[in-house]
Amino acid sequence: MPAVEISTEERLGIDDVFDVRVFAEPDLSGSYRVAADGTVDYPFAGRISVVGMRSGDVQDLIASKLRDGYLKKPEVSVMVKEWNSRKVAVIGQVQRPGSWPTSPG
């Protein structure tokens, strides 16, 4: 069986879900699902394109948007919650056939 190469740079895809936490700003924290057009709607930033970005890139983008007239020094963290853009199909003689999301690694 050939070895499978796993990318160390996991990038967001359509339908992935990630959590955003902004320190001391509960109204700016929450879960976001990447829409079919590759964007999410984020408070004060509007619609931002995140498809193809790493979680650290999204973190930097949101912090930059918040610094742009809203918060002086925002502390933002982004963590991917669901990798829905990566699915495998299980078919055949199995108890639960269907599409299942996979996690990196």
Side-chain angles (χ1 to χ4, degrees):
M1 177 179 247
V4 176
E5 185 177 322
I6 298 173
S7 172
T8 56
E9 287 192 25
E10 295 300 336
R11 298 185 181 272
L12 289 169
I14 293 169
D15 207 30
D16 288 344
V17 178
F18 59 92
D19 284 337
V20 176
R21 299 287 174 249
V22 182
F23 180 72
E25 296 291 338
D27 292 341
L28 298 176
S29 299
S31 293
Y32 298 87
R33 181 178 302 273
V34 181
D37 65 354
T39 64
V40 295
D41 290 323
Y42 189 78
F44 300 119
R47 182 161 287 187
I48 55 175
S49 180
V50 296
V51 75
M53 296 177 79
R54 295 173 301 163
S55 59
D57 298 333
V58 175
Q59 178 177 306
D60 294 342
L61 176 62
I62 291 172
S64 169
K65 297 281 187 182
L66 292 175
R67 263 193 306 276
D68 201 16
Y70 301 105
L71 298 174
K72 288 184 181 182
K73 197 172 180 186
E75 293 182 36
V76 178
S77 68
V78 171
M79 186 176 83
V80 178
K81 193 171 172 181
E82 297 175 20
W83 292 101
N84 294 320
S85 63
R86 294 165 181 81
K87 293 183 180 182
V88 294
V90 179
I91 58 174
Q93 291 183 324
V94 294
Q95 272 191 344
R96 295 184 345 183
S99 244
W100 302 89
T102 61
S103 296

